[in-house]
Amino acid sequence: MMRIGEVARRAGVTPRALRYYEEKGLLRARRDHNGYRVYEEDTVHAARNIARLLRAGLSSEDVARFGDCLRRERMDPSPDCAALLEVYTARLAMLDRRIEALTELRGRLAEEARRLRAAMAAHASDPDRSPGRREPVQA
Amino acid sequence: MMRIGEVARRAGVTPRALRYYEEKGLLRARRDHNGYRVYEEDTVHAARNIARLLRAGLSSEDVARFGDCLRRERMDPSPDCAALLEVYTARLAMLDRRIEALTELRGRLAEEARRLRAAMAAHASDPDRSPGRREPVQA
DNA sequence: TATGGGCTTGACGCCGGCGTCAAGGTCAAG
DNA sequence: CTTGACCTTGACGCCGGCGTCAAGCCCATA
């Protein structure tokens, strides 16, 4: 039984983040007589897991589907957590698409950079060109 | 000499986008007596180039550094466009970092998915568990 | 009692590249 | 003159994961 500040410190997140997680249905909290949020021990694991998954690029909607599995320190799979697999699978596909897109983009940019470099080299060695141009072409 | 609508059509962007580019210093426009924006021919190329580069993942700040080079149909390099190379290079590095991060994440997710699948398979083949050996665990 | 630290809800800010009204001016054609 | 296409500036909306006030309650301690 802890309050929000302690959970936050132990999980390495901010109280604001914890409230946000709750708002998004990732976390539940009971209330003390004075209205303060009260958390179980395993909430620390949950908060850690949530933050990890979000940093990893999952959306809060994705993470919500992990449900109680989040509360285990090491999110070991079990049959009741089958949804995890779907989420992972879908997300892997998404990542593959994003990686592919970035890679393609990288290729295009690299190509343009290559062209640019070549043209500049040609330019630099062109005798007609800029007589007093000092600076070397910087890589 | 064209007005915004024509440039937009010919460049394949919206008038709103053109105003935005101008606001960000990517484009310049003169004004007609009535306040309408008036553009040169090469603005069509510029707009096309800008849109391309933005779609490619460059920021408008990056693109701003391309300056007048944008106005050439084929953004052929020349010494006064040396900044292009810097921008490309920096951006390639960024892309590499992003791709690397995503790839690493992909690896972690794939690993977790693998563990999960394995555990579920073990569960399914558990003699206590599965009475009739039916469907294989779905991928 | 007064202080001060922790807690509450509510709500705006951010970032980027525009989309999408809103309210109104301009001008050629019918 | 009226229509209607095209133009203007201004300003809010979006999306996600919170950061960051603001205003105010709870409670232990000096």
PDB file of all heavy atoms in Angstrom, chain C residues 15-26:
ATOM      1  P    DC C  15       7.503  23.586 -28.983  1.00  0.00           P
ATOM      2  OP1  DC C  15       8.750  24.021 -28.320  1.00  0.00           O
ATOM      3  OP2  DC C  15       6.604  24.563 -29.615  1.00  0.00           O
ATOM      4  O5'  DC C  15       7.878  22.496 -30.055  1.00  0.00           O
ATOM      5  C5'  DC C  15       8.056  21.122 -29.683  1.00  0.00           C
ATOM      6  C4'  DC C  15       7.665  20.234 -30.831  1.00  0.00           C
ATOM      7  O4'  DC C  15       6.396  19.596 -30.544  1.00  0.00           O
ATOM      8  C3'  DC C  15       7.463  20.984 -32.167  1.00  0.00           C
ATOM      9  O3'  DC C  15       8.153  20.301 -33.192  1.00  0.00           O
ATOM     10  C2'  DC C  15       5.966  20.964 -32.394  1.00  0.00           C
ATOM     11  C1'  DC C  15       5.527  19.709 -31.640  1.00  0.00           C
ATOM     12  N1   DC C  15       4.151  19.746 -31.104  1.00  0.00           N
ATOM     13  C2   DC C  15       3.603  18.557 -30.580  1.00  0.00           C
ATOM     14  O2   DC C  15       4.271  17.532 -30.584  1.00  0.00           O
ATOM     15  N3   DC C  15       2.350  18.590 -30.094  1.00  0.00           N
ATOM     16  C4   DC C  15       1.651  19.724 -30.112  1.00  0.00           C
ATOM     17  N4   DC C  15       0.418  19.701 -29.614  1.00  0.00           N
ATOM     18  C5   DC C  15       2.193  20.935 -30.642  1.00  0.00           C
ATOM     19  C6   DC C  15       3.436  20.899 -31.116  1.00  0.00           C
ATOM     20  P    DG C  16       8.895  21.216 -34.293  1.00  0.00           P
ATOM     21  OP1  DG C  16      10.341  21.201 -34.094  1.00  0.00           O
ATOM     22  OP2  DG C  16       8.194  22.512 -34.448  1.00  0.00           O
ATOM     23  O5'  DG C  16       8.547  20.286 -35.534  1.00  0.00           O
ATOM     24  C5'  DG C  16       7.494  19.352 -35.426  1.00  0.00           C
ATOM     25  C4'  DG C  16       6.991  18.899 -36.752  1.00  0.00           C
ATOM     26  O4'  DG C  16       5.578  18.635 -36.642  1.00  0.00           O
ATOM     27  C3'  DG C  16       7.085  19.904 -37.899  1.00  0.00           C
ATOM     28  O3'  DG C  16       7.118  19.159 -39.096  1.00  0.00           O
ATOM     29  C2'  DG C  16       5.816  20.717 -37.716  1.00  0.00           C
ATOM     30  C1'  DG C  16       4.816  19.673 -37.213  1.00  0.00           C
ATOM     31  N9   DG C  16       3.917  20.136 -36.168  1.00  0.00           N
ATOM     32  C8   DG C  16       3.955  21.321 -35.482  1.00  0.00           C
ATOM     33  N7   DG C  16       3.031  21.439 -34.573  1.00  0.00           N
ATOM     34  C5   DG C  16       2.329  20.231 -34.650  1.00  0.00           C
ATOM     35  C6   DG C  16       1.234  19.748 -33.904  1.00  0.00           C
ATOM     36  O6   DG C  16       0.624  20.306 -32.997  1.00  0.00           O
ATOM     37  N1   DG C  16       0.847  18.483 -34.311  1.00  0.00           N
ATOM     38  C2   DG C  16       1.445  17.751 -35.293  1.00  0.00           C
ATOM     39  N2   DG C  16       0.953  16.554 -35.540  1.00  0.00           N
ATOM     40  N3   DG C  16       2.486  18.183 -36.004  1.00  0.00           N
ATOM     41  C4   DG C  16       2.869  19.430 -35.622  1.00  0.00           C
ATOM     42  P    DG C  17       7.624  19.822 -40.394  1.00  0.00           P
ATOM     43  OP1  DG C  17       8.581  18.907 -41.036  1.00  0.00           O
ATOM     44  OP2  DG C  17       7.992  21.227 -40.160  1.00  0.00           O
ATOM     45  O5'  DG C  17       6.285  19.777 -41.250  1.00  0.00           O
ATOM     46  C5'  DG C  17       5.664  18.513 -41.492  1.00  0.00           C
ATOM     47  C4'  DG C  17       4.252  18.731 -41.983  1.00  0.00           C
ATOM     48  O4'  DG C  17       3.411  19.100 -40.863  1.00  0.00           O
ATOM     49  C3'  DG C  17       4.090  19.857 -43.017  1.00  0.00           C
ATOM     50  O3'  DG C  17       3.180  19.412 -44.018  1.00  0.00           O
ATOM     51  C2'  DG C  17       3.489  20.984 -42.195  1.00  0.00           C
ATOM     52  C1'  DG C  17       2.614  20.188 -41.249  1.00  0.00           C
ATOM     53  N9   DG C  17       2.185  20.888 -40.047  1.00  0.00           N
ATOM     54  C8   DG C  17       2.706  22.026 -39.498  1.00  0.00           C
ATOM     55  N7   DG C  17       2.085  22.424 -38.415  1.00  0.00           N
ATOM     56  C5   DG C  17       1.095  21.477 -38.230  1.00  0.00           C
ATOM     57  C6   DG C  17       0.099  21.367 -37.236  1.00  0.00           C
ATOM     58  O6   DG C  17      -0.110  22.113 -36.268  1.00  0.00           O
ATOM     59  N1   DG C  17      -0.705  20.249 -37.414  1.00  0.00           N
ATOM     60  C2   DG C  17      -0.575  19.355 -38.438  1.00  0.00           C
ATOM     61  N2   DG C  17      -1.440  18.350 -38.454  1.00  0.00           N
ATOM     62  N3   DG C  17       0.343  19.442 -39.382  1.00  0.00           N
ATOM     63  C4   DG C  17       1.144  20.522 -39.222  1.00  0.00           C
ATOM     64  P    DC C  18       3.205  20.023 -45.459  1.00  0.00           P
ATOM     65  OP1  DC C  18       2.323  19.200 -46.284  1.00  0.00           O
ATOM     66  OP2  DC C  18       4.634  20.129 -45.799  1.00  0.00           O
ATOM     67  O5'  DC C  18       2.624  21.492 -45.404  1.00  0.00           O
ATOM     68  C5'  DC C  18       1.236  21.781 -45.654  1.00  0.00           C
ATOM     69  C4'  DC C  18       0.314  21.055 -44.714  1.00  0.00           C
ATOM     70  O4'  DC C  18       0.520  21.524 -43.371  1.00  0.00           O
ATOM     71  C3'  DC C  18      -1.167  21.285 -45.005  1.00  0.00           C
ATOM     72  O3'  DC C  18      -1.728  20.114 -45.590  1.00  0.00           O
ATOM     73  C2'  DC C  18      -1.812  21.603 -43.672  1.00  0.00           C
ATOM     74  C1'  DC C  18      -0.698  21.375 -42.653  1.00  0.00           C
ATOM     75  N1   DC C  18      -0.768  22.348 -41.555  1.00  0.00           N
ATOM     76  C2   DC C  18      -1.690  22.144 -40.522  1.00  0.00           C
ATOM     77  O2   DC C  18      -2.424  21.152 -40.559  1.00  0.00           O
ATOM     78  N3   DC C  18      -1.781  23.043 -39.518  1.00  0.00           N
ATOM     79  C4   DC C  18      -0.980  24.089 -39.499  1.00  0.00           C
ATOM     80  N4   DC C  18      -1.092  24.945 -38.475  1.00  0.00           N
ATOM     81  C5   DC C  18      -0.004  24.319 -40.539  1.00  0.00           C
ATOM     82  C6   DC C  18       0.066  23.429 -41.536  1.00  0.00           C
ATOM     83  P    DG C  19      -3.119  20.296 -46.361  1.00  0.00           P
ATOM     84  OP1  DG C  19      -3.194  19.140 -47.282  1.00  0.00           O
ATOM     85  OP2  DG C  19      -3.226  21.667 -46.880  1.00  0.00           O
ATOM     86  O5'  DG C  19      -4.225  20.115 -45.224  1.00  0.00           O
ATOM     87  C5'  DG C  19      -4.427  18.843 -44.608  1.00  0.00           C
ATOM     88  C4'  DG C  19      -5.774  18.814 -43.899  1.00  0.00           C
ATOM     89  O4'  DG C  19      -5.750  19.706 -42.755  1.00  0.00           O
ATOM     90  C3'  DG C  19      -6.977  19.262 -44.732  1.00  0.00           C
ATOM     91  O3'  DG C  19      -8.109  18.504 -44.284  1.00  0.00           O
ATOM     92  C2'  DG C  19      -7.104  20.752 -44.378  1.00  0.00           C
ATOM     93  C1'  DG C  19      -6.665  20.778 -42.923  1.00  0.00           C
ATOM     94  N9   DG C  19      -5.955  21.995 -42.499  1.00  0.00           N
ATOM     95  C8   DG C  19      -4.886  22.580 -43.142  1.00  0.00           C
ATOM     96  N7   DG C  19      -4.409  23.617 -42.504  1.00  0.00           N
ATOM     97  C5   DG C  19      -5.207  23.720 -41.379  1.00  0.00           C
ATOM     98  C6   DG C  19      -5.164  24.657 -40.318  1.00  0.00           C
ATOM     99  O6   DG C  19      -4.383  25.588 -40.136  1.00  0.00           O
ATOM    100  N1   DG C  19      -6.167  24.413 -39.371  1.00  0.00           N
ATOM    101  C2   DG C  19      -7.080  23.385 -39.453  1.00  0.00           C
ATOM    102  N2   DG C  19      -7.984  23.306 -38.456  1.00  0.00           N
ATOM    103  N3   DG C  19      -7.128  22.506 -40.443  1.00  0.00           N
ATOM    104  C4   DG C  19      -6.166  22.731 -41.368  1.00  0.00           C
ATOM    105  P    DT C  20      -9.552  18.710 -44.976  1.00  0.00           P
ATOM    106  OP1  DT C  20     -10.331  17.478 -44.699  1.00  0.00           O
ATOM    107  OP2  DT C  20      -9.324  19.149 -46.367  1.00  0.00           O
ATOM    108  O5'  DT C  20     -10.223  19.915 -44.167  1.00  0.00           O
ATOM    109  C5'  DT C  20     -10.254  19.865 -42.749  1.00  0.00           C
ATOM    110  C4'  DT C  20     -10.937  21.111 -42.203  1.00  0.00           C
ATOM    111  O4'  DT C  20      -9.953  22.129 -41.900  1.00  0.00           O
ATOM    112  C3'  DT C  20     -11.947  21.768 -43.159  1.00  0.00           C
ATOM    113  O3'  DT C  20     -13.111  22.093 -42.424  1.00  0.00           O
ATOM    114  C2'  DT C  20     -11.225  23.034 -43.610  1.00  0.00           C
ATOM    115  C1'  DT C  20     -10.429  23.374 -42.358  1.00  0.00           C
ATOM    116  N1   DT C  20      -9.270  24.258 -42.550  1.00  0.00           N
ATOM    117  C2   DT C  20      -8.969  25.178 -41.570  1.00  0.00           C
ATOM    118  O2   DT C  20      -9.607  25.297 -40.553  1.00  0.00           O
ATOM    119  N3   DT C  20      -7.870  25.957 -41.836  1.00  0.00           N
ATOM    120  C4   DT C  20      -7.071  25.912 -42.958  1.00  0.00           C
ATOM    121  O4   DT C  20      -6.113  26.674 -43.087  1.00  0.00           O
ATOM    122  C5   DT C  20      -7.454  24.921 -43.949  1.00  0.00           C
ATOM    123  C7   DT C  20      -6.648  24.797 -45.203  1.00  0.00           C
ATOM    124  C6   DT C  20      -8.520  24.155 -43.697  1.00  0.00           C
ATOM    125  P    DC C  21     -14.495  22.372 -43.224  1.00  0.00           P
ATOM    126  OP1  DC C  21     -15.587  22.470 -42.226  1.00  0.00           O
ATOM    127  OP2  DC C  21     -14.590  21.393 -44.311  1.00  0.00           O
ATOM    128  O5'  DC C  21     -14.228  23.787 -43.826  1.00  0.00           O
ATOM    129  C5'  DC C  21     -15.105  24.863 -43.576  1.00  0.00           C
ATOM    130  C4'  DC C  21     -15.153  25.262 -42.122  1.00  0.00           C
ATOM    131  O4'  DC C  21     -13.808  25.423 -41.600  1.00  0.00           O
ATOM    132  C3'  DC C  21     -15.856  26.587 -41.932  1.00  0.00           C
ATOM    133  O3'  DC C  21     -16.719  26.600 -40.820  1.00  0.00           O
ATOM    134  C2'  DC C  21     -14.741  27.600 -41.771  1.00  0.00           C
ATOM    135  C1'  DC C  21     -13.580  26.771 -41.231  1.00  0.00           C
ATOM    136  N1   DC C  21     -12.329  27.247 -41.873  1.00  0.00           N
ATOM    137  C2   DC C  21     -11.517  28.162 -41.207  1.00  0.00           C
ATOM    138  O2   DC C  21     -11.845  28.560 -40.082  1.00  0.00           O
ATOM    139  N3   DC C  21     -10.397  28.601 -41.810  1.00  0.00           N
ATOM    140  C4   DC C  21     -10.068  28.143 -43.031  1.00  0.00           C
ATOM    141  N4   DC C  21      -8.952  28.607 -43.582  1.00  0.00           N
ATOM    142  C5   DC C  21     -10.890  27.216 -43.727  1.00  0.00           C
ATOM    143  C6   DC C  21     -12.002  26.801 -43.123  1.00  0.00           C
ATOM    144  P    DA C  22     -17.846  27.762 -40.778  1.00  0.00           P
ATOM    145  OP1  DA C  22     -18.669  27.507 -39.572  1.00  0.00           O
ATOM    146  OP2  DA C  22     -18.459  27.806 -42.121  1.00  0.00           O
ATOM    147  O5'  DA C  22     -17.013  29.104 -40.566  1.00  0.00           O
ATOM    148  C5'  DA C  22     -16.293  29.334 -39.353  1.00  0.00           C
ATOM    149  C4'  DA C  22     -15.866  30.785 -39.295  1.00  0.00           C
ATOM    150  O4'  DA C  22     -14.586  30.962 -39.958  1.00  0.00           O
ATOM    151  C3'  DA C  22     -16.843  31.743 -39.993  1.00  0.00           C
ATOM    152  O3'  DA C  22     -16.939  32.926 -39.218  1.00  0.00           O
ATOM    153  C2'  DA C  22     -16.170  32.026 -41.329  1.00  0.00           C
ATOM    154  C1'  DA C  22     -14.691  31.968 -40.946  1.00  0.00           C
ATOM    155  N9   DA C  22     -13.782  31.598 -42.017  1.00  0.00           N
ATOM    156  C8   DA C  22     -13.957  30.608 -42.949  1.00  0.00           C
ATOM    157  N7   DA C  22     -12.950  30.490 -43.780  1.00  0.00           N
ATOM    158  C5   DA C  22     -12.051  31.473 -43.378  1.00  0.00           C
ATOM    159  C6   DA C  22     -10.790  31.856 -43.863  1.00  0.00           C
ATOM    160  N6   DA C  22     -10.182  31.275 -44.885  1.00  0.00           N
ATOM    161  N1   DA C  22     -10.173  32.882 -43.233  1.00  0.00           N
ATOM    162  C2   DA C  22     -10.788  33.463 -42.195  1.00  0.00           C
ATOM    163  N3   DA C  22     -11.978  33.183 -41.654  1.00  0.00           N
ATOM    164  C4   DA C  22     -12.556  32.161 -42.299  1.00  0.00           C
ATOM    165  P    DA C  23     -18.213  33.865 -39.399  1.00  0.00           P
ATOM    166  OP1  DA C  23     -18.661  34.255 -38.037  1.00  0.00           O
ATOM    167  OP2  DA C  23     -19.152  33.223 -40.341  1.00  0.00           O
ATOM    168  O5'  DA C  23     -17.598  35.153 -40.111  1.00  0.00           O
ATOM    169  C5'  DA C  23     -16.490  35.815 -39.514  1.00  0.00           C
ATOM    170  C4'  DA C  23     -15.904  36.788 -40.504  1.00  0.00           C
ATOM    171  O4'  DA C  23     -15.026  36.084 -41.426  1.00  0.00           O
ATOM    172  C3'  DA C  23     -16.947  37.502 -41.380  1.00  0.00           C
ATOM    173  O3'  DA C  23     -16.571  38.862 -41.493  1.00  0.00           O
ATOM    174  C2'  DA C  23     -16.842  36.769 -42.713  1.00  0.00           C
ATOM    175  C1'  DA C  23     -15.346  36.475 -42.743  1.00  0.00           C
ATOM    176  N9   DA C  23     -14.922  35.424 -43.641  1.00  0.00           N
ATOM    177  C8   DA C  23     -15.627  34.325 -44.058  1.00  0.00           C
ATOM    178  N7   DA C  23     -14.960  33.556 -44.898  1.00  0.00           N
ATOM    179  C5   DA C  23     -13.737  34.193 -45.042  1.00  0.00           C
ATOM    180  C6   DA C  23     -12.591  33.896 -45.793  1.00  0.00           C
ATOM    181  N6   DA C  23     -12.485  32.831 -46.580  1.00  0.00           N
ATOM    182  N1   DA C  23     -11.551  34.749 -45.704  1.00  0.00           N
ATOM    183  C2   DA C  23     -11.658  35.818 -44.919  1.00  0.00           C
ATOM    184  N3   DA C  23     -12.683  36.201 -44.171  1.00  0.00           N
ATOM    185  C4   DA C  23     -13.698  35.343 -44.274  1.00  0.00           C
ATOM    186  P    DG C  24     -17.585  39.899 -42.136  1.00  0.00           P
ATOM    187  OP1  DG C  24     -17.655  41.027 -41.179  1.00  0.00           O
ATOM    188  OP2  DG C  24     -18.809  39.216 -42.601  1.00  0.00           O
ATOM    189  O5'  DG C  24     -16.767  40.416 -43.402  1.00  0.00           O
ATOM    190  C5'  DG C  24     -15.403  40.769 -43.197  1.00  0.00           C
ATOM    191  C4'  DG C  24     -14.652  40.665 -44.477  1.00  0.00           C
ATOM    192  O4'  DG C  24     -14.490  39.279 -44.866  1.00  0.00           O
ATOM    193  C3'  DG C  24     -15.326  41.347 -45.689  1.00  0.00           C
ATOM    194  O3'  DG C  24     -14.433  42.299 -46.240  1.00  0.00           O
ATOM    195  C2'  DG C  24     -15.536  40.211 -46.666  1.00  0.00           C
ATOM    196  C1'  DG C  24     -14.415  39.273 -46.264  1.00  0.00           C
ATOM    197  N9   DG C  24     -14.559  37.921 -46.770  1.00  0.00           N
ATOM    198  C8   DG C  24     -15.618  37.062 -46.626  1.00  0.00           C
ATOM    199  N7   DG C  24     -15.462  35.945 -47.269  1.00  0.00           N
ATOM    200  C5   DG C  24     -14.229  36.071 -47.888  1.00  0.00           C
ATOM    201  C6   DG C  24     -13.521  35.196 -48.734  1.00  0.00           C
ATOM    202  O6   DG C  24     -13.865  34.082 -49.134  1.00  0.00           O
ATOM    203  N1   DG C  24     -12.295  35.728 -49.131  1.00  0.00           N
ATOM    204  C2   DG C  24     -11.820  36.961 -48.747  1.00  0.00           C
ATOM    205  N2   DG C  24     -10.634  37.312 -49.217  1.00  0.00           N
ATOM    206  N3   DG C  24     -12.461  37.791 -47.959  1.00  0.00           N
ATOM    207  C4   DG C  24     -13.658  37.289 -47.576  1.00  0.00           C
ATOM    208  P    DG C  25     -14.970  43.395 -47.222  1.00  0.00           P
ATOM    209  OP1  DG C  25     -14.907  44.715 -46.558  1.00  0.00           O
ATOM    210  OP2  DG C  25     -16.238  42.930 -47.830  1.00  0.00           O
ATOM    211  O5'  DG C  25     -13.831  43.341 -48.325  1.00  0.00           O
ATOM    212  C5'  DG C  25     -12.485  43.609 -47.937  1.00  0.00           C
ATOM    213  C4'  DG C  25     -11.563  43.232 -49.076  1.00  0.00           C
ATOM    214  O4'  DG C  25     -11.654  41.809 -49.292  1.00  0.00           O
ATOM    215  C3'  DG C  25     -11.914  43.887 -50.413  1.00  0.00           C
ATOM    216  O3'  DG C  25     -10.727  44.271 -51.110  1.00  0.00           O
ATOM    217  C2'  DG C  25     -12.650  42.789 -51.168  1.00  0.00           C
ATOM    218  C1'  DG C  25     -11.965  41.535 -50.643  1.00  0.00           C
ATOM    219  N9   DG C  25     -12.812  40.352 -50.684  1.00  0.00           N
ATOM    220  C8   DG C  25     -13.934  40.102 -49.936  1.00  0.00           C
ATOM    221  N7   DG C  25     -14.474  38.947 -50.207  1.00  0.00           N
ATOM    222  C5   DG C  25     -13.671  38.401 -51.193  1.00  0.00           C
ATOM    223  C6   DG C  25     -13.763  37.167 -51.883  1.00  0.00           C
ATOM    224  O6   DG C  25     -14.608  36.286 -51.748  1.00  0.00           O
ATOM    225  N1   DG C  25     -12.733  37.020 -52.811  1.00  0.00           N
ATOM    226  C2   DG C  25     -11.747  37.945 -53.040  1.00  0.00           C
ATOM    227  N2   DG C  25     -10.847  37.636 -53.976  1.00  0.00           N
ATOM    228  N3   DG C  25     -11.646  39.100 -52.401  1.00  0.00           N
ATOM    229  C4   DG C  25     -12.640  39.260 -51.502  1.00  0.00           C
ATOM    230  P    DT C  26     -10.895  44.925 -52.544  1.00  0.00           P
ATOM    231  OP1  DT C  26      -9.666  45.724 -52.760  1.00  0.00           O
ATOM    232  OP2  DT C  26     -12.220  45.553 -52.642  1.00  0.00           O
ATOM    233  O5'  DT C  26     -10.867  43.672 -53.526  1.00  0.00           O
ATOM    234  C5'  DT C  26      -9.693  42.897 -53.628  1.00  0.00           C
ATOM    235  C4'  DT C  26      -9.607  42.261 -54.997  1.00  0.00           C
ATOM    236  O4'  DT C  26     -10.457  41.079 -55.020  1.00  0.00           O
ATOM    237  C3'  DT C  26     -10.060  43.118 -56.173  1.00  0.00           C
ATOM    238  O3'  DT C  26      -9.191  42.859 -57.253  1.00  0.00           O
ATOM    239  C2'  DT C  26     -11.468  42.626 -56.453  1.00  0.00           C
ATOM    240  C1'  DT C  26     -11.336  41.137 -56.123  1.00  0.00           C
ATOM    241  N1   DT C  26     -12.543  40.415 -55.683  1.00  0.00           N
ATOM    242  C2   DT C  26     -12.810  39.187 -56.214  1.00  0.00           C
ATOM    243  O2   DT C  26     -12.122  38.656 -57.054  1.00  0.00           O
ATOM    244  N3   DT C  26     -13.925  38.576 -55.718  1.00  0.00           N
ATOM    245  C4   DT C  26     -14.796  39.069 -54.764  1.00  0.00           C
ATOM    246  O4   DT C  26     -15.769  38.424 -54.395  1.00  0.00           O
ATOM    247  C5   DT C  26     -14.457  40.380 -54.248  1.00  0.00           C
ATOM    248  C7   DT C  26     -15.339  41.014 -53.228  1.00  0.00           C
ATOM    249  C6   DT C  26     -13.359  40.991 -54.735  1.00  0.00           C
TER     250       DT C  26
END
